[in-house]
Structure formats: structure tokens, C-alpha cells
Amino acid sequence: MCTHRPSCPAAQSLAAESPEARVVTAHVVAAHPEQGWNLLCDGTVVFDDTGELLPDGRAVAPRRAPAGRLAMAA
């Protein structure tokens, strides 16, 4: 599905499961910010809450910051 160079690792590979690797290599091919998701060129759907749906149907839970590290509004 990727047409850019270097092409992305497969979405199922260990490199693709690293958020850093996906951000560096995968490109958005369909953006839907009004619905809170984007389709990447490796077939992964990423959601605004950092959750993901891989092409094989597996879901990756959102990576949330620990509650103690969140800033409190005054």
C-alpha cells in the first residue's frame, strides 16, 4: 500500500508496533479529524486517543499517561 520511500514496515512487524517507528515512516492516506481517526499507508487506523486498529483486526489499546503526570487546571 505504501508508495513512498523508504516504504513502511508491515503493520504486524515489531517495528510497526513501536509508536515511534510508525510516526517516522507511515503516512496518512485518509484523514478524518472530524471523526477522530486517520488511515495510514500501512493499513493501520489510528485514533485521536492513541488507540489503533491493525489491518489484521487486532486492536491496540490507547497509551494513556499515568494520572499523576497529568496537569491540573487551576
Side-chain angles (χ1 to χ4, degrees):
M1 209 166 152
C2 296
T3 59
H4 60 89
R5 295 287 177 233
S7 57
C8 298
Q12 292 82 7
S13 73
L14 290 176
E17 290 184 18
S18 162
E20 296 80 19
R22 184 169 288 122
V23 168
V24 171
T25 59
H27 294 202
V28 174
V29 294
H32 294 279
E34 72 284 357
Q35 296 177 354
W37 62 274
N38 294 309
L39 174 65
L40 301 182
C41 59
D42 65 359
T44 301
V45 176
V46 293
F47 298 95
D48 287 350
D49 69 354
T50 71
E52 301 174 6
L53 184 59
L54 299 177
D56 64 3
R58 288 184 295 146
V60 177
R63 292 172 289 282
R64 301 188 188 272
R69 301 179 95 192
L70 297 176
M72 301 284 284

